[in-house]
């Protein structure tokens, strides 16, 4: 039986942890577990068999870190081959009556992708692609992408797998206690993106104990239409007699995990701290509960790297300002490559209340593919709103969608056969919600009924590509009333008909109705409210127009979308005339360095620094402008107002400002900042957290010696001695390398008793850090900065 057939009608039991069992089997501290597939196959096979014997339907190969970034190609191929052979042998040896499958385990690269880090996006895709090809070649039944903390790397992994093999793919992310990924994505955002990319099952693993993760599982189940995976830790570890101990025992763990069945979860397992006895406990209880299939959700939604936006609950506002049509400043910005202007437009529209930003870079005398891709890349790193990728060029559309960090709106397809043949395959591959224009080879029908017929034709054709109607939004097309007196009336009727007859949502480019007429916002606002009353779901408008936004605000209040009239009252409190306060806020003098750093607008910040050079000394620029901006960004990050990508983009802008200062003159006096040595401990190849800490510390003026990853304890000590470091920062992600961290801490404290050691990593807690002798535990990069600052 195939795994996809099996999960349709059965609960599925996965395996538990691998690393802790390898340690118990004698894996030396600092040794890469994947190498034991070759050198100790009997141990790996024994662990897999123990899980099959405990009742697992699926075991994960011992390949979590088997990446071409960590091994050369020939060695990697042999590792994957041996890993799958070990699992196959275990399947043959196990005599339990359950269906048995082998999942190739694909973990994260351990590196940050550009622009936040050094790893190129396509190189990441290629690294996952190489693994997927080998996994299929050597006989894996499926691929599991697991423990992903970054939505962008998750997408790279999905593309690498989907483009390279035909195996089913399951995906689980590791969420923090704030119910978000490290990169800021919500469960709803990840569900939207992964379903769009074609994942066969999704969910979560690692992080925390089951009780603490049930809320996240509930949120996924509320929006997911594909099977859900629940593979939590047995809580976070503590240290007892020098060993990591997980406090949730098998029976309690099984009871907690199976609570998720009430939410429609049907795929269960364990992560860190679990063993065959945990899986056996789940099996005994799971066999007594029925199969509760997840109900499909008819949700039309898009997502950014932080959150999703659903259509249907209230009008969705799509900002129209990043479009050269009729906008000379945008044209000039596109021609000159002035991306900063587009970022400003995006930020302004976000502040004015847009839910989604339209991005159109279509000009005849520019490279649209290059410009659109760059604009999408920069915007998605600056503004947290989902984007609407607006182009008629299939190459530009494909390029932009490929690098988009989320599930985008695609603008657009129409009823012409040529359009559908070009656009549908792209949308099917990358996911997205398609805006479908109700026109075809015969033009725009004059009647609402004619536009409905085209909509039904598009729905039928989209289904052939696997595109469901929930991912289609129809634009019945707004024509100008200055040319046709009944144009608006026909469009309104088409909105009503399409909404009622197809069950799909609708969108209009509202401002077209008033083309060629004076006082256009007055006419546009009345037309918009009329369309909303006829069922319009979303509108492409100018969010910076007070008249248009007030119309939406008033409609929401009157239609019951504004509970207790709260938004209406708050807006009146903010402004005396029901108009957005953005224009007032934008006027007057402002600190462009702070503005640029806070919003990740590097060009604005750098130019402002250049203007100040000669007027203020270097330390004044740093202390009066750059550091306060970083502090403000850091506080927003700590409060959950902004997320890791925005933090890193702001840090990069600050770094560029520092470089300008350094290139112009030396500081007028010595800084009181000291040297810090950072390293990921021996045996661990994950250095995302360390790299983030490095970037922030450097921006705060500290000299950072980064030793990289997989660094022996003695090398870390020597670097601390050589550079007269006052602080050493250690990072570890894998449970198998925490003992190495403890050894390193002991060595540093014995040789350098005055040096402070701070630690961080997904497997650590403050209690665990204290138990292994660390001076400080930092849950995130800003906590590390605050600790170091406290030492001055």
């Amino acid at each position: 039986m195939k795994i996809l057939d099996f999960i349709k009608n059965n609960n599925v039991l996965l395996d538990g942890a691998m690393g802790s069992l390898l340690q118990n089997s004698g894996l030396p501290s600092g040794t890469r577990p994947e190498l034991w597939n070759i050198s100790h196959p009997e141990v790996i096979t024994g662990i897999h068999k123990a899980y099959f014997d405990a009742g697992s339907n699926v075991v994960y190969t011992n390949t979590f870190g088997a990446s071409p970034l960590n091994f050369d190609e020939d060695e990697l191929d042999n590792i994957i081959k041996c890993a799958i052979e070990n699992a196959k042998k275990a399947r043959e040896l196990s005599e339990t009556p359950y269906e048995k499958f082998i999942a190739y385990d694909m973990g994260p690269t351990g590196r940050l992708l550009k622009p936040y880090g050094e790893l190129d996006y396509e190189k990441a895709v290629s690294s996952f692609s190489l693994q997927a090809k080998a996994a299929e070649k050597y006989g894996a039944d499926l691929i599991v992408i697991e423990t992903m903390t970054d939505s962008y790397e998750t997408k790279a992994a999905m593309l690498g797998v989907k483009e390279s093999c035909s195996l089913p793919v399951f995906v689980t992310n590791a969420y923090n206690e704030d119910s978000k990924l490290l990169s800021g994505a919500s469960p709803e955002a990840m569900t939207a993106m992964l379903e769009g990319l074609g994942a066969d099952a999704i969910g979560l693993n690692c992080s925390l104990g089951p009780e603490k993760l049930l809320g996240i599982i509930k949120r996924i189940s509320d929006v997911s239409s594909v099977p859900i995976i629940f593979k939590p830790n047995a809580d976070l570890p503590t240290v007892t007699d020098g060993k990591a101990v997980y406090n949730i025992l098998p029976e309690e763990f099984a009871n907690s995990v199976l609570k998720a069945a009430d939410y429609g979860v049907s795929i269960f397992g364990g992560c860190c701290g679990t063993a065959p006895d945990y899986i056996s406990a789940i099996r005994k209880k799971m066999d007594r509960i029925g199969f509760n299939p997840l109900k499909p959700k008819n949700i039309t939604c898009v997502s950014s790297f932080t959150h999703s936006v659903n259509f249907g609950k209230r009008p969705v506002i799509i900002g129209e300002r990043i479009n050269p049509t009729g906008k000379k400043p945008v044209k000039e910005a596109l021609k000159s490559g002035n991306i900063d202007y587009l970022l400003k437009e995006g930020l302004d529209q976000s502040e004015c209340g847009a839910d989604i930003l339209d991005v159109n870079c279509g000009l005849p005398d520019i490279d649209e593919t290059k410009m659109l891709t760059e604009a999408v890349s920069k915007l998605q790193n600056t503004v947290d709103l989902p984007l609407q990728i607006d182009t008629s060029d299939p190459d530009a559309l494909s390029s932009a969608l490929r690098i988009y960090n989320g599930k985008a709106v695609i603008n657009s397809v129409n009823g012409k056969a040529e359009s559908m043949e070009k656009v549908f395959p792209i949308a099917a591959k990358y996911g997205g919600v398609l805006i479908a224009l109700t026109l075809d080879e015969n033009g725009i029908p004059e009647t609402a009924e004619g536009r409905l017929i085209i909509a039904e034709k598009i729905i039928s054709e989209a289904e052939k590509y696997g595109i469901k109607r929930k991912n289609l939004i129809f634009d019945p097309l707004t024509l100008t009333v200055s040319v046709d007196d009944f144009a608006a009336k026909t469009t309104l009727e088409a909105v009503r008909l399409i909404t009622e007859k197809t069950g799909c949502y609708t969108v209009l480019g509202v401002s077209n109705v008033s083309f060629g007429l004076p006082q256009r916002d007055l006419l546009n606002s009345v037309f918009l409210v009329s369309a909303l009353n006829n069922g319009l779901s979303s509108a492409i408008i100018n969010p910076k127009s007070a008249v248009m936004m007030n119309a939406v605000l008033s409609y929401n209040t009157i239609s019951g979308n504004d509970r207790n009239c709260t938004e209406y009252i708050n807006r009146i409190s903010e402004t005396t005339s029901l108009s957005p306060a953005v224009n007032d806020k934008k006027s007057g003098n402002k600190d462009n360095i702070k503005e640029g750093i806070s919003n990740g607008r590097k060009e604005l910040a750098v130019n402002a620094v250049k203007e100040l050079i000669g007027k203020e000394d270097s330390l004044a620029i740093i202390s009066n402008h750059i550091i306060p901006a970083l502090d403000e960004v850091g506080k927003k990050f700590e409060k959950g107002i902004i997320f890791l990508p925005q933090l890193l983009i702001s840090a990069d802008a600050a770094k560029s400002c520092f470089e300008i200062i350094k290139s112009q003159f030396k500081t007028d006096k010595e800084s009181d900042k000291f040297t810090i040595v950072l390293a990921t401990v021996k045996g661990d190849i994950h250095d995302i957290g360390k790299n983030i800490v490095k970037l922030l510390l450097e921006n705060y003026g500290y000299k950072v010696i980064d030793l990289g990853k997989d660094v022996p304890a003695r090398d870390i000590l020597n670097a601390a001695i050589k550079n007269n470091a006052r602080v050493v920062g250690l990072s570890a992600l894998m449970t198998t390398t925490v003992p190495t961290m403890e050894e390193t801490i002991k060595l540093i404290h014995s040789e350098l008793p005055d040096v402070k050691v701070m630690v961080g990593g997904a497997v650590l807690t403050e209690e665990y850090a204290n138990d292994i002798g660390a001076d400080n535990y930092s849950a995130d990069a800003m906590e590390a900065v605050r600790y170091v600052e406290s030492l001055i």
Side-chain angles (χ1 to χ4, degrees):
M1 181 179 289
K2 301 290 187 182
I3 184 67
L4 293 185
D5 294 325
F6 186 70
I7 65 175
K8 289 178 182 178
N9 302 298
N10 296 277
N11 290 323
V12 179
L13 185 55
L14 308 174
D15 61 7
M18 172 64 74
S20 55
L21 298 188
L22 289 176
Q23 285 180 317
N24 294 339
S25 299
L27 178 74
S29 178
T31 299
R32 293 185 177 178
E34 296 79 18
L35 293 172
W36 270 37
N37 289 305
I38 301 169
S39 62
H40 293 72
E42 71 287 349
V43 174
I44 307 302
T45 297
I47 292 172
H48 291 324
K49 181 178 181 296
Y51 279 122
F52 276 137
D53 289 347
S56 290
N57 298 113
V58 181
V59 300
Y60 289 18
T61 56
N62 179 33
T63 51
F64 182 78
S67 165
L69 302 175
N70 304 324
F71 301 95
D72 65 52
E73 192 166 329
D74 289 339
E75 184 179 32
L76 177 62
D77 188 78
N78 194 29
I79 287 172
I80 295 173
K81 176 176 178 288
C82 291
I84 294 173
E85 287 176 350
N86 293 336
K88 285 182 177 179
K89 186 173 182 179
R91 178 167 60 184
E92 293 169 2
L93 293 172
S94 178
E95 297 179 354
T96 59
Y98 307 111
E99 292 285 341
K100 299 178 180 68
F101 305 94
I102 295 167
Y104 177 81
D105 187 17
M106 185 178 286
T109 62
R111 305 184 189 184
L112 280 171
L113 273 61
K114 292 179 180 179
Y116 320 123
E118 298 300 319
L119 182 59
D120 181 75
Y121 180 74
E122 289 300 336
K123 186 173 182 180
V125 173
S126 296
S127 74
F128 294 118
S129 173
L130 192 150
Q131 295 177 68
K133 290 175 182 176
E136 185 169 45
K137 179 173 69 172
Y138 293 120
D141 299 305
L142 69 151
I143 290 175
V144 174
I145 300 167
E146 69 155 329
T147 323
M148 290 286 176
T149 60
D150 176 12
S151 59
Y152 207 32
E153 185 177 14
T154 308
K155 179 168 183 174
M158 276 294 297
L159 290 179
V161 172
K162 285 289 188 179
E163 292 176 346
S164 305
C165 75
S166 59
L167 294 177
V169 56
F170 293 4
V171 185
T172 54
N173 293 97
Y175 291 88
N176 296 327
E177 285 192 83
D178 63 0
S179 299
K180 298 180 183 296
L181 300 189
L182 175 67
S183 61
S186 69
E188 294 81 6
M190 291 308 301
T191 301
M193 185 183 79
L194 288 171
E195 279 196 17
L197 290 168
D200 296 295
I202 64 173
L204 61 82
N205 78 290
C206 205
S207 306
L208 304 164
E211 292 288 343
K212 295 177 182 177
L213 294 172
L214 282 171
I216 300 174
I217 279 292
K218 173 64 165 59
R219 288 172 62 179
I220 295 174
S221 73
D222 286 343
V223 295
S224 178
S225 295
V226 299
I228 300 174
I229 303 163
F230 190 30
K231 204 173 191 283
N233 287 351
D235 213 351
L236 288 171
T238 57
V239 175
T240 302
D241 297 329
K243 293 184 178 181
V245 175
Y246 292 82
N247 294 319
I248 300 178
L249 299 178
E251 287 296 313
E252 180 187 354
F253 182 79
N255 288 332
S256 296
V257 165
L258 291 174
K259 287 180 182 179
D262 294 337
Y263 303 137
V265 175
S266 59
I267 306 176
F268 308 94
C271 200
C272 300
T274 63
D277 53 342
Y278 285 75
I279 300 306
S280 178
I282 297 175
R283 169 56 73 183
K284 291 174 184 176
K285 297 176 185 297
M286 193 178 84
D287 285 345
R288 296 197 295 266
I289 66 174
F291 176 63
N292 181 22
L294 192 71
K295 295 178 175 62
K297 313 298 190 303
N298 188 32
I299 298 173
T300 300
C301 68
V302 294
S303 66
S304 67
F305 72 90
T306 59
H307 67 281
S308 63
V309 171
N310 289 6
F311 289 78
K313 294 182 179 179
R314 56 190 294 150
V316 172
I317 303 304
I318 303 173
E320 68 178 9
R321 298 297 301 170
I322 305 176
N323 187 322
T325 305
K327 303 177 186 69
K328 186 176 180 181
V330 179
K331 287 183 180 178
E332 294 304 316
L334 292 174
K335 288 179 180 178
S336 63
N338 183 6
I339 296 294
D340 188 67
Y341 181 85
L342 305 186
L343 300 183
K344 180 180 181 301
E345 280 291 346
L347 289 164
D348 285 352
Q349 291 181 93
S350 175
E351 189 173 347
C352 287
D355 300 301
I356 297 169
L357 298 179
D358 183 80
V359 186
N360 184 311
C361 298
L363 284 177
D365 47 357
I366 67 170
D367 183 341
E368 184 181 359
T369 297
K370 180 180 178 182
M371 179 58 71
L372 181 62
T373 303
E374 183 180 1
V376 167
S377 177
K378 294 291 179 63
L379 279 163
Q380 72 180 0
N381 296 324
T382 304
V383 188
D384 69 351
L385 300 183
L387 300 183
Q388 174 170 291
I389 298 175
D390 186 355
T391 178
S392 58
D393 184 335
D395 292 336
L397 176 63
S398 182
S399 178
L401 283 174
R402 185 173 183 82
I403 58 92
Y404 179 63
N405 191 0
K407 180 183 180 184
V409 182
I410 300 170
N411 189 11
S412 59
V413 70
N414 61 56
K416 296 179 180 179
E418 181 184 16
S419 174
M420 292 187 286
E421 288 169 1
K422 289 181 178 179
V423 175
F424 282 157
I426 299 172
K429 177 177 181 178
Y430 294 110
V433 170
L434 272 161
I435 290 182
L437 311 182
T438 55
L439 63 87
D440 60 13
E441 288 82 357
N442 297 315
I444 303 173
E446 295 182 359
T447 66
E449 291 77 10
R451 298 178 198 184
L452 172 62
I453 290 171
I454 293 176
E456 290 172 335
K457 177 176 72 172
I458 292 172
I459 291 171
S460 177
E461 191 65 22
E463 288 175 352
K464 298 176 184 177
Y465 293 84
I467 299 172
K468 298 176 181 179
R469 68 173 62 207
K470 72 177 182 179
N471 287 318
L472 295 172
I473 295 179
F474 286 96
D475 183 349
L477 298 168
T478 303
L479 303 180
T480 178
V481 292
S482 63
V483 174
D484 178 356
D485 292 340
F486 297 98
K489 184 177 181 181
T490 301
T491 298
L492 295 175
E493 177 64 12
V495 168
R496 185 188 64 79
L497 267 181
I498 291 172
T499 301
E500 292 177 357
K501 300 296 184 182
T502 70
C504 294
Y505 295 114
T506 51
V507 64
L508 289 173
V510 173
S511 61
N512 292 341
V513 74
S514 63
F515 186 77
L517 295 173
Q519 297 293 315
R520 295 183 63 187
D521 272 358
L522 296 178
L523 190 58
N524 292 345
S525 63
V526 174
F527 177 65
L528 173 58
V529 173
S530 298
L532 293 172
N533 282 323
N534 277 275
L536 185 71
S537 317
S538 53
I540 304 172
I541 64 173
N542 177 11
K544 295 163 76 172
S545 164
V547 174
M548 297 302 291
M549 293 304 287
N550 290 341
V552 176
L553 177 70
S554 301
Y555 173 82
N556 281 334
T557 303
I558 291 171
S559 63
N561 289 325
D562 181 9
R563 190 174 178 81
N564 298 322
C565 306
T566 302
E567 293 180 13
Y568 188 87
I569 294 170
N570 288 342
R571 184 67 60 85
I572 289 178
S573 300
E574 292 173 1
T575 65
T576 57
S577 60
L578 265 183
S579 61
V582 171
N583 290 333
D584 291 338
K585 290 179 182 178
K586 298 296 179 185
S587 63
N589 296 324
K590 60 183 179 182
D591 185 339
N592 281 338
I593 298 177
K594 185 176 180 181
E595 170 83 7
I597 291 173
S598 297
N599 291 315
R601 294 175 59 193
K602 184 190 301 186
E603 184 177 338
L604 178 67
V606 166
N607 288 338
V609 167
K610 289 178 179 178
E611 290 179 7
L612 277 183
I613 290 175
K615 300 177 183 177
E616 296 185 24
D617 66 49
S618 60
L619 287 180
I621 297 173
I622 292 169
S623 60
N624 296 336
H625 303 278
I626 298 176
I627 295 300
L630 282 172
D631 283 338
E632 180 178 304
V633 170
K635 289 175 183 176
K636 287 181 178 179
F637 174 75
E638 290 169 329
K639 293 177 180 178
I641 299 171
I642 65 170
F643 303 99
L644 182 61
Q646 294 148 305
L647 175 70
L648 295 180
I649 291 298
S650 292
D652 185 56
K655 182 180 179 181
S656 296
C657 292
F658 279 119
E659 289 172 351
I660 291 296
I661 292 171
K662 290 176 183 177
S663 69
Q664 293 296 318
F665 44 66
K666 295 182 179 180
T667 56
D668 302 315
K669 60 182 179 179
E670 288 295 318
S671 170
D672 59 354
K673 304 299 176 72
F674 44 77
T675 299
I676 301 165
V677 170
L678 297 180
T680 300
V681 298
K682 178 66 179 174
D684 206 313
I685 45 77
H686 301 87
D687 62 357
I688 289 177
K690 172 185 65 63
N691 291 343
I692 297 168
V693 171
K694 173 190 175 184
L695 179 61
L696 293 184
L697 286 172
E698 287 178 335
N699 279 332
Y700 274 80
Y702 294 94
K703 180 182 179 182
V704 178
I705 308 299
D706 182 7
L707 302 180
K709 56 192 177 182
D710 193 19
V711 186
R714 182 62 61 176
D715 290 356
I716 298 172
L717 173 66
N718 291 339
I721 295 172
K722 177 182 177 181
N723 294 283
N724 194 28
R726 185 171 170 186
V727 175
V728 171
L730 303 177
S731 174
L733 174 73
M734 302 163 63
T735 55
T736 55
T737 58
V738 175
T740 305
M741 178 180 279
E742 183 176 12
E743 294 167 8
T744 306
I745 293 170
K746 289 180 178 177
L747 179 63
I748 292 171
H749 280 163
S750 66
E751 300 287 334
L752 300 171
D754 293 331
V755 171
K756 301 294 185 182
V757 180
M758 62 179 184
V759 298
V763 295
L764 296 175
T765 63
E766 185 169 6
E767 181 182 0
Y768 200 170
N770 291 336
D771 287 339
I772 62 176
D775 296 294
N776 170 262
Y777 163 74
S778 297
D780 58 48
M782 282 309 305
E783 281 193 17
V785 171
R786 304 291 186 225
Y787 171 69
V788 172
E789 289 276 273
S790 73
L791 298 177
I792 296 179

